[in-house]
Amino acid sequence: MKIGILREGKVPPDSRVPIAPAQCKIIKDRAPIEVVVQPFAGRCFSDKEYLAAGARLQEDLGECQILMGVKEVPVDLLMEDKTYLFFSHTIKMQSYNRKLLQAVLKKHIRLIDYEVLTNEEGNRLIAFGRFAGMVGAHNALYTYGRRTGSFHLRRMKDCRDYAEAKLLYKSIPWPPLKIVLTGTGRVGAGAAEVLHDMGITEVDAADFLGKSFSKAVFTQLRTPQYVAHKRGFPFDPRHYYAHPEEYRSTFAPFASTADIFINGIFWDNRAPAFFTLEEMQRDDFRIQVIADVTCDIAPVSSVPSTIRASTIAQPVYGFDPFTGLEVPPWHQGAIDVMAIDNLPNEMPRDASTAFGHMFLDGVLP
């Protein structure tokens, strides 16, 4: 068998890889499988590193039975009768990738989407979520610092790795501020990891809402802390995930208390949004920065201000809740939105290596 590593074709290109160079040799040692790599100067690992690890560089991957990438493969580059592994972003019936899915069917392609590879218990086997949460939390504080001028935090992409970022955190005197974090999966855990490494104190939800602090604090919410059944029934997680349309948001007290909102949930299209556009217009809506790691695009989204994805090059845009329109970032009276849809690409080597290990252990066998 031959596995081909694709050159990323989506614009802007992603520098992450599904398999790191050192892992190519591990694959070859475990099974009669050869890894063939399409040359690409934009990867976080160089072509020379793949050659040194025993992979073969080759432009034409037609001889490979399995083709692997990270982001969506452009429709005109799809080869017929192949098995592809990549994040297709079609699971929620995203309209912007309808043509991609139609092309997959027309070309008799077997599409294996990383997002739906699970074990028998339904837990995902492979994901970049932890790194998305880590960069999302970092960028949330970066955005707040730029907005308020109270501190300066270098971008994660400008650090060699996370170890360098952790050294930066030790030198920053965080001002008193409140951060609300949603999600307890990989994304939420990654975001909480960074907030702890920053030295920001975690407090429970009741104290977060009811107390004042002279230091930076955050609280991490579980689902029953921000939704409730419309008819007042006790929260049942199985019922909620089966019938999220029967629930309403109870997030309002946090929106009137927090300075920063980091959204790290997996959102079902039927579930309630955290708040409405009208609620964002209220005088008691306090949130100044929204780091939407979930990044579902409005109007079908958990956050109505996420009107588009932002980019690593231009990570933040302003949102005017009274007009519903984008404005320049740091704009007076607007809310700053960080909604990069490929956040792990700011930590590409760390994220790719971890992703490759998950593939080796949970998917390849």
Side-chain angles (χ1 to χ4, degrees):
M1 180 188 289
K2 292 184 175 68
I3 294 177
I5 305 300
L6 295 162
R7 176 190 303 118
E8 293 295 316
K10 188 174 182 180
V11 179
D14 202 293
S15 66
R16 288 173 293 171
V17 295
I19 299 173
Q23 294 158 353
C24 296
K25 185 178 185 306
I26 296 174
I27 290 174
K28 197 170 184 178
D29 291 343
R30 287 188 183 180
I33 297 173
E34 183 181 6
V35 179
V36 184
V37 180
Q38 215 170 27
F40 181 39
R43 289 192 184 99
C44 59
F45 295 101
S46 68
D47 291 346
K48 288 183 178 179
E49 288 177 279
Y50 278 101
L51 282 173
R56 179 153 52 95
L57 287 181
Q58 189 168 297
E59 182 64 33
D60 183 4
L61 300 182
E63 66 186 74
C64 300
Q65 297 94 334
I66 293 176
L67 299 170
M68 296 180 64
V70 176
K71 304 293 279 188
E72 301 98 310
V73 176
V75 170
D76 60 337
L77 297 180
L78 290 169
M79 288 188 277
E80 294 186 356
D81 301 311
K82 297 290 186 183
T83 293
Y84 278 87
L85 284 84
F86 58 87
F87 288 104
S88 70
H89 298 115
T90 59
I91 301 307
K92 296 182 181 181
M93 294 183 276
Q94 289 97 320
S95 58
Y96 57 86
N97 276 333
R98 184 178 292 134
K99 290 182 180 179
L100 169 63
L101 200 55
Q102 290 170 340
V104 164
L105 296 170
K106 184 177 180 180
K107 296 187 177 188
H108 306 288
I109 287 168
R110 181 184 185 219
L111 172 60
I112 300 176
D113 193 311
Y114 301 122
E115 193 172 349
V116 291
L117 284 173
T118 62
N119 60 18
E120 291 82 356
E121 288 76 39
N123 299 314
R124 286 184 61 181
L125 292 170
I126 186 166
F128 282 106
R130 171 177 172 247
F131 294 92
M134 292 174 72
V135 180
H138 182 101
N139 283 352
L141 273 296
Y142 159 81
T143 304
Y144 186 84
R146 281 291 305 271
R147 180 180 181 87
T148 62
S150 53
F151 59 89
H152 171 73
L153 178 61
R154 193 195 313 165
R155 293 283 302 281
M156 186 75 84
K157 71 176 182 64
D158 297 325
C159 300
R160 173 173 169 77
D161 51 26
Y162 185 56
E164 183 176 332
K166 287 173 70 173
L167 290 175
L168 291 178
Y169 301 154
K170 298 180 183 298
S171 65
I172 297 178
W174 308 109
L177 57 89
K178 286 186 170 183
I179 304 165
V180 59
L181 165 65
T182 55
T184 54
R186 285 188 175 96
V187 173
E193 178 183 343
V194 166
L195 295 176
H196 282 299
D197 287 344
M198 287 177 167
I200 296 175
T201 303
E202 183 173 5
V203 299
D204 64 35
D207 286 347
F208 185 87
L209 294 176
K211 293 184 178 180
S212 297
F213 297 90
S214 58
K215 59 184 177 180
V217 299
F218 81 96
T219 193
Q220 185 172 14
L221 303 184
R222 295 175 291 105
T223 309
Q225 294 174 296
Y226 59 81
V227 298
H229 196 279
K230 292 177 181 178
R231 296 171 62 186
F233 297 142
F235 182 84
D236 179 344
R238 289 173 298 179
H239 185 269
Y240 172 72
Y241 293 121
H243 305 283
E245 71 280 359
E246 296 184 18
Y247 290 73
R248 61 181 178 84
S249 172
T250 57
F251 187 76
F254 297 96
S256 61
T257 306
D259 302 289
I260 298 173
F261 171 31
I262 303 173
N263 181 24
I265 66 167
F266 176 83
W267 188 70
D268 188 301
N269 291 1
R270 301 169 295 162
F274 285 102
F275 38 78
T276 65
L277 200 58
E278 291 72 26
E279 288 172 322
M280 294 182 75
Q281 299 170 6
R282 292 174 47 167
D283 291 340
D284 63 349
F285 190 89
R286 178 171 165 172
I287 296 170
Q288 300 178 60
V289 169
I290 297 175
D292 191 1
V293 183
T294 299
C295 199
D296 289 310
I297 306 302
V300 185
S301 65
S302 56
V303 180
S305 53
T306 306
I307 54 177
R308 67 170 177 88
S310 56
T311 65
I312 291 175
Q314 300 290 333
V316 183
Y317 58 85
F319 177 79
D320 185 336
F322 292 94
T323 65
L325 299 176
E326 179 179 336
V327 295
W330 341 121
H331 191 72
Q332 184 68 30
I335 294 163
D336 287 319
V337 177
M338 190 291 303
I340 298 171
D341 64 356
N342 61 337
L343 282 164
N345 204 37
E346 291 202 41
M347 298 176 66
R349 292 176 71 95
D350 290 343
S352 296
T353 301
F355 190 83
H357 282 306
M358 285 182 267
F359 175 77
L360 291 176
D361 295 338
V363 180
L364 183 62

